[in-house]
Amino acid sequence: MKSIVTHRRPAGPTGWGRVRIAAILVGVFLFAVRSATAEPVALSPDEKAYLAVHGPVTLCVDPDWVPFESINARGEHEGIAADLLRLVARRTGVVFDLVPTRDWDESLEASKDGRCQVLSFLNKTPARDEWLLFTEPIFNDSNVFITREEHPFIDDPAGLAGESIVFPRGTSMEERVRAEYPNLGILTTDSEMDALSMVSDRKADMTMRSLIIAAYTIKKEGLFNLKIAGRLPNYANNLRLGVVGTQPVLRDILDKGVASITPQERGRIVNEHVAINVQTGLDKALVLKIGLAFALVAGLGLAWNYKLKKYNAELMRLSRTDLLTDLPNRRQVMARLDEELGRASRSHRPFSVIILDIDHFTAVNDRLGHQGGDRFLIAFARVLRETVRSCDLAGRIGGEEFLVLCPETDQGQAAQLAERIRAAVAGHAFEPGRRHSISAGVAALLPGETADALLCRADDALYRCKEGGRDKVCVL
């Protein structure tokens, strides 16, 4: 059972071909590496006293946001958010008391009037800052434009005239698009499914939704006249837990639980809810439909073929690239890690990894705001890309965490590279008048070692750096 709630109120073509087709359709994959079991987080005396005095924490969720979260017929919270919150609950000792609501709007209102202390899985916005405190992101997901098949690729939505975009009511993306793209006509509806259906039925020209939602819903509902038609790099979902503003201690407790969740655990959870289902949902009839569609498009002429190739190439790039930094994403890095481990084991050549973490990035976000924090990450990725060697692969594996794969590199050489990256970051002017630093954990492959074990040692080395004062390189 995937529910995290222990106190509940009464509820008012197989193989590679299949994977490749799924990538073209939805451009979303998360690769599960391992399932780590973490120890309970260390709470301060004040935090322990808070839990002892206050007891269960009331929680409101979106009751119909599959596969992120929903409330099932038994009144239980389930989905990706529920599984992540279950990890937070187990590691912090927080007991969540689910408050059922009819929809997300009611959950927001329940938070505003004090019936819910915590909201799950929401973006931080200026409007929500008025009554909520936010944890660091518990989950990151890209937003993309979804249109009908005949719609051209969207390079810049500011250049669209007379087109409409539909959102489920109360979303942060609606707030941002209203403010930044007044040329688009904004429509609202009751649910994710309604938004996609309105596009499919020509009642709206497009919607902007998450890659994961698109993957799940298009497959589940058979909306194969829809496609991914573009994305905005700074429009990612950085989903957090929102805590009422009067409860900063509770926010700090939950933040520690969020920080304890590893990228591998997030990958495993998403794979259970989305990736496997997407891959196994394709049958021969669907493959035939896709083949006929491509044949029809091919008949429209060379010009349209060229556009289609550009579009498909963009989708394939999106499936392998972190949309904010343009570095390889976690799925691509982990796939390359497996390849490099196999190559190093067969040739008996050295291989090392470096895990990098930006020190005190929470403070950067607090000073610069969400968009400023994104610009910081983009600049950091540029420094990283310019500093690593041509044989290395550097990618973003989560929040402010990055992984560098170092073929033909022993531990000492990898440590030297990590020091060079650290020096480059220290010497770069990310913010006027401020110096920034990183911590780095280095591990070299041991005979017979698995990818999980290698990453665990690098992660442990990173943890030693943080415990030892940060701004340093540690090896293990």
Side-chain angles (χ1 to χ4, degrees):
M1 183 173 70
K2 295 187 174 66
S3 172
I4 63 164
V5 180
T6 58
H7 294 271
R8 178 168 56 86
R9 300 179 182 177
T14 62
W16 171 245
R18 176 173 293 167
V19 174
R20 186 169 182 270
I21 293 170
I24 293 173
L25 286 172
V26 301
V28 58
F29 290 96
L30 289 170
F31 179 80
V33 178
R34 61 185 172 98
S35 175
T37 301
E39 296 294 323
V41 298
L43 300 181
S44 69
D46 288 344
E47 291 166 344
K48 292 177 181 177
Y50 176 94
L51 293 180
V53 171
H54 288 80
V57 172
T58 50
L59 170 71
C60 281
V61 306
D62 190 327
D64 185 22
W65 198 19
V66 179
F68 281 150
E69 61 180 354
S70 63
I71 298 178
N72 64 24
R74 298 184 299 276
E76 299 163 340
H77 186 207
E78 62 183 11
I80 294 169
D83 286 355
L84 291 171
L85 279 173
R86 182 172 59 184
L87 293 179
V88 171
R90 187 169 72 233
R91 293 169 186 176
T92 61
V94 171
V95 176
F96 289 107
D97 185 1
L98 181 64
V99 178
T101 55
R102 293 185 302 273
D103 52 35
W104 179 238
D105 284 341
E106 185 181 345
S107 291
L108 291 173
E109 290 304 315
S111 173
K112 289 179 181 178
D113 64 27
R115 286 182 287 138
C116 291
Q117 296 167 272
V118 176
L119 286 168
S120 75
F121 253 46
L122 76 168
N123 284 292
K124 182 178 180 181
T125 69
R128 293 168 181 173
D129 278 335
E130 293 179 3
W131 87 93
L132 290 173
L133 303 171
F134 289 91
T135 67
E136 287 299 298
I138 189 171
F139 190 81
N140 296 287
D141 182 39
S142 303
N143 277 297
V144 293
F145 288 110
I146 309 295
T147 68
R148 290 182 299 279
E149 186 64 35
E150 68 271 14
H151 197 286
F153 191 84
I154 300 173
D155 294 313
D156 182 5
L160 300 175
E163 296 204 22
S164 59
I165 184 167
V166 59
F167 295 96
R169 272 184 282 274
T171 65
S172 63
M173 291 302 111
E174 177 195 342
E175 292 180 32
R176 290 187 62 183
V177 170
R178 279 188 187 278
E180 297 176 23
Y181 297 99
N183 55 302
L184 296 176
I186 306 295
L187 304 174
T188 59
T189 188
D190 292 329
S191 68
E192 296 278 354
M193 185 61 229
D194 287 345
L196 290 166
S197 293
M198 285 180 67
V199 177
S200 179
D201 296 339
R202 301 179 180 277
K203 296 177 181 178
D205 293 300
M206 70 192 79
T207 185
M208 176 184 276
R209 306 312 303 142
S210 88
L211 275 171
I212 287 179
I213 294 294
Y216 181 88
T217 308
I218 288 174
K219 173 260 174 182
K220 182 174 182 290
E221 303 297 332
L223 299 175
F224 296 112
N225 65 332
L226 301 183
K227 72 177 183 182
I228 298 170
R231 52 102 182 184
L232 292 174
N234 295 326
Y235 270 62
N237 284 313
N238 297 300
L239 299 168
R240 308 167 187 261
L241 305 182
V243 182
V244 291
T246 58
Q247 305 288 327
V249 177
L250 176 59
R251 188 274 309 273
D252 293 344
I253 294 170
L254 295 176
D255 229 353
K256 290 182 176 180
V258 169
S260 75
I261 301 174
T262 67
Q264 291 79 18
E265 287 170 324
R266 288 186 177 90
R268 174 182 56 79
I269 288 170
V270 171
N271 196 55
E272 288 176 357
H273 288 278
V274 179
I276 292 174
N277 289 339
V278 172
Q279 292 169 14
T280 59
L282 296 174
D283 55 24
K284 292 181 180 179
L286 173 57
V287 175
L288 178 60
K289 288 180 182 179
I290 294 172
L292 291 174
F294 273 89
L296 177 61
V297 171
L300 297 178
L302 291 176
W304 179 245
N305 268 339
Y306 174 71
K307 291 182 180 180
L308 184 64
K309 288 177 181 178
K310 281 184 63 179
Y311 163 66
N312 284 335
E314 176 68 4
L315 286 183
M316 292 300 292
R317 190 186 70 82
L318 288 176
S319 74
R320 299 188 298 263
T321 304
D322 176 70
L323 298 185
L324 176 64
T325 64
D326 214 35
L327 291 173
N329 61 16
R330 187 181 59 80
R331 174 181 176 270
Q332 175 71 356
V333 174
M334 295 307 176
R336 280 286 301 275
L337 175 61
D338 284 342
E339 293 174 6
E340 293 296 342
L341 254 62
R343 184 177 296 113
S345 297
R346 289 191 300 271
S347 62
H348 304 289
R349 301 294 296 166
F351 175 77
S352 299
V353 297
I354 306 170
I355 295 182
L356 306 170
D357 191 272
I358 300 171
D359 293 334
H360 308 296
F361 187 70
T362 301
V364 174
N365 265 335
D366 290 342
R367 286 195 303 272
L368 303 181
H370 171 70
Q371 292 186 351
D374 283 352
R375 288 192 293 271
F376 186 102
L377 289 171
I378 292 169
F380 174 82
R382 187 181 306 116
V383 171
L384 181 60
R385 190 183 295 110
E386 292 170 354
T387 308
V388 299
R389 306 164 304 179
S390 59
C391 63
D392 302 320
L393 177 73
R396 185 184 181 201
I397 57 175
E400 63 270 24
E401 194 169 59
F402 298 78
L403 178 63
V404 182
L405 307 184
C406 307
E408 300 288 331
T409 304
D410 62 27
Q411 186 181 78
Q413 293 167 329
Q416 290 177 359
L417 174 60
E419 285 286 359
R420 188 161 71 243
I421 297 169
R422 189 183 68 83
V425 171
H428 188 84
F430 294 97
E431 290 183 71
R434 289 186 180 271
R435 178 185 180 278
H436 294 278
S437 66
I438 61 168
S439 298
V442 177
L445 183 66
L446 300 176
E449 192 171 38
T450 65
D452 289 353
L454 177 62
L455 291 174
C456 275
R457 289 196 297 111
D459 201 50
D460 289 342
L462 176 63
Y463 182 78
R464 289 185 183 181
C465 288
K466 293 181 178 181
E467 289 291 296
R470 303 176 187 263
D471 191 15
K472 60 181 63 178
V473 173
C474 297
V475 299
L476 187 64

